[in-house]
Amino acid sequence: MPTQDVCIIVPTIRDYESVRAYAENARKHGFDLERLFVVLVTEDFCDTEAMERMLDEEGLDGAVFDGSAREQWFREQGIEEYDHLIPAASHAQTSFGLLYLWAYDHFEYGVFIDDDTLPHDDVDFFGTHLANLHHEGEVTAVESDEDWVNVLYQSESDLYPRGYPYSAMDEDWSETTTDVDDVVASQGLWTNVPDLDAVRILMDGDLQGQAQTRTTAEDFGRDFVVAPDNYLTVCSMNLAFRREVVPAFYQFPMDDNPWDVGRFDDIWSGLVLKRAADVLGKQIYNGDPLCEHNKAPRSTFGDLANEVAGLELNEHVWELLDRAGEDADSYREVADAVAAELIGADATEWENSEFLAYCGEHLQEWLDCLAALEGGQAIESRAAATTD
């Protein structure tokens, strides 16, 4: 029997049926469905029985976790003191899927899929992601004079994705060829509705939360990595990763917080991941497999209200992370160093600066939670360091 080594994490309160298209893509391209375990992260008001039936009909092993089921899972693992790490009614609930993956060490890979996406029929979705994670050899490397790379840099649309700092726009970028041998994340990009923030959507002339400008496969050319000491936006709608990155990949606690900061969970987690990758000599691969992003119409102003509380912080948080963990030799050490930077940041001149310490404290607790699933080593080591 093949090893069930891939944990698929799908946050959904709407179109969970999109999972069927990914199962069909796997069958079409000969990818073994028995390698997959699907974790649907949903809410108590959703039809979990229908979701379970869908998994059965598609021949997919998996589990459905609404809010009540998540609480029960935390109790069963003996980690109920950490259930607050998963924010209520937030896309950042994908962190629960990371915990589930971490709890069962037969999972070697994780894949984030959003329920408003579909795979491209002509590409082996899962096979391509795993091939990217195993890529060894030459690939295009991109860097810029602003230390930021726009993942849409090959497009003529002049779009910047959600989370890209406004202060880093109008950058001059350059390409070289590099050898990679340790890819830890594969970010698939997206056609149809681009992943933009609300301000950029408004500038593009759309009041329904989408965009007038759409992307096609022609907007994406060469696959690429981003050079060390350069950052990029990491979107969790189409992303595969190795198990090892989980300590440095906490999806930050958005929406359900006293400052109402939202929409930066995957963006900021991606910054931590990139910092860890740079410190540890790893790479994040970008490009194929593309997905079709079919974002449902909604108020652009609603998204703006959800984003504006964190916009100023997003201009600066990467600079704090960029000085963290230089001498670290593990993802856990990098994440712990990032947490310390966020907690100790002198950021009072920024709007909602207290949220940074809140994120840092949650990141520390994330590491403790992972350790509790393993047996408590990190909790003890931090307590010893505090005592010393």
Side-chain angles (χ1 to χ4, degrees):
M1 181 176 178
T3 301
Q4 191 178 67
D5 59 345
V6 184
C7 184
I8 311 299
I9 301 162
V10 185
T12 181
I13 58 172
R14 298 182 183 91
D15 189 15
Y16 60 87
E17 294 275 347
S18 63
V19 172
R20 295 186 189 274
Y22 288 93
E24 176 58 29
N25 179 276
R27 285 190 290 267
K28 176 179 178 179
H29 293 281
F31 190 91
D32 190 349
L33 288 178
E34 293 189 18
R35 294 183 64 182
L36 307 180
F37 186 93
V38 180
V39 175
L40 296 177
V41 185
T42 188
E43 300 293 347
D44 286 341
F45 58 79
C46 295
D47 190 345
T48 57
E49 292 184 357
M51 294 180 187
E52 291 168 350
R53 286 195 301 273
M54 181 268 296
L55 293 177
D56 287 341
E57 291 166 3
E58 291 298 326
L60 291 167
D61 196 5
V64 181
F65 289 94
D66 58 16
S68 300
R70 290 194 295 275
E71 290 178 5
Q72 180 179 346
W73 187 86
F74 272 95
R75 289 193 300 269
E76 290 172 349
Q77 307 304 315
I79 57 170
E80 56 267 40
E81 66 185 286
Y82 298 109
D83 63 1
H84 63 282
L85 293 175
I86 311 302
S90 171
H91 187 271
Q93 289 174 342
T94 45
S95 284
F96 176 81
L98 297 178
L99 288 181
Y100 190 93
L101 180 157
W102 196 254
Y104 305 101
D105 59 11
H106 60 275
F107 293 128
E108 297 181 30
Y109 312 101
V111 180
F112 283 146
I113 296 173
D114 274 6
D115 70 355
D116 60 357
T117 67
L118 295 171
H120 285 216
D121 289 340
D122 59 340
V123 176
D124 178 358
F125 181 83
F126 296 112
T128 301
H129 267 311
L130 294 186
N132 292 345
L133 292 175
H134 287 273
H135 181 87
E136 294 184 358
E138 290 188 347
V139 68
T140 297
V142 191
E143 61 184 322
S144 90
D145 60 344
E146 295 288 349
D147 298 330
W148 268 86
V149 171
N150 178 1
V151 297
L152 295 172
Y153 81 98
Q154 297 176 82
S155 171
E156 296 181 359
S157 61
D158 198 31
L159 295 176
Y160 285 89
R162 175 178 56 91
Y164 192 100
Y166 286 88
S167 57
M169 293 171 61
D170 300 320
E171 74 286 3
D172 290 325
W173 54 266
S174 60
E175 293 181 333
T176 57
T177 300
T178 190
D179 282 310
V180 303
D181 59 6
D182 207 341
V183 175
V184 294
S186 167
Q187 178 173 211
L189 300 175
W190 8 263
T191 59
N192 196 26
V193 180
D195 181 35
L196 309 180
D197 67 23
V199 173
R200 291 177 169 113
I201 293 172
L202 288 172
M203 294 297 291
D204 196 50
D206 193 295
L207 301 183
Q208 293 187 301
Q210 299 179 322
Q212 294 293 315
T213 303
R214 300 299 174 94
T215 55
T216 68
E218 286 67 38
D219 288 295
F220 306 99
R222 298 165 297 282
D223 293 349
F224 62 94
V225 297
V226 171
D229 302 319
N230 278 238
Y231 288 88
L232 75 164
T233 56
V234 174
C235 171
S236 65
M237 78 168 79
N238 174 13
L239 184 77
F241 51 91
R242 292 183 180 271
R243 172 190 181 83
E244 66 191 66
V245 309
V246 169
F249 206 39
Y250 175 55
Q251 307 294 291
F252 281 97
M254 299 290 158
D255 306 299
D256 180 25
N257 60 72
W259 302 271
D260 295 325
V261 179
R263 298 268 289 162
F264 293 102
D265 48 313
D266 50 354
I267 300 301
W268 291 6
S269 73
L271 296 177
V272 181
L273 178 60
K274 183 57 164 68
R275 177 57 178 166
D278 286 353
V279 169
L280 301 174
K282 317 287 186 175
Q283 298 91 30
I284 299 174
Y285 193 102
N286 305 275
D288 275 335
L290 302 177
C291 73
E292 179 183 311
H293 183 209
N294 301 310
K295 184 180 178 182
R298 65 192 190 210
S299 170
T300 307
F301 294 101
D303 275 355
L304 179 61
N306 201 24
E307 294 169 3
V308 69
L311 281 177
E312 185 174 16
L313 294 178
N314 188 62
E315 293 293 309
H316 303 285
V317 67
W318 69 277
E319 297 169 327
L320 300 176
L321 273 57
D322 194 49
R323 61 193 190 205
E326 181 176 355
D327 298 323
D329 58 11
S330 70
Y331 293 95
R332 192 183 299 273
E333 288 184 9
V334 173
D336 205 28
V338 167
E341 286 288 345
L342 293 174
I343 292 170
D346 180 12
T348 54
E349 71 273 21
W350 303 335
E351 187 74 17
N352 296 322
S353 59
E354 300 92 342
F355 182 62
L356 295 179
Y358 180 87
C359 286
E361 291 162 0
H362 277 64
L363 183 54
Q364 283 187 338
E365 290 186 282
W366 173 254
L367 298 176
D368 291 344
C369 182
L370 296 179
L373 286 172
E374 299 164 346
Q377 307 94 308
I379 300 174
E380 295 172 3
S381 63
R382 181 176 291 131
T386 303
T387 301
D388 294 344

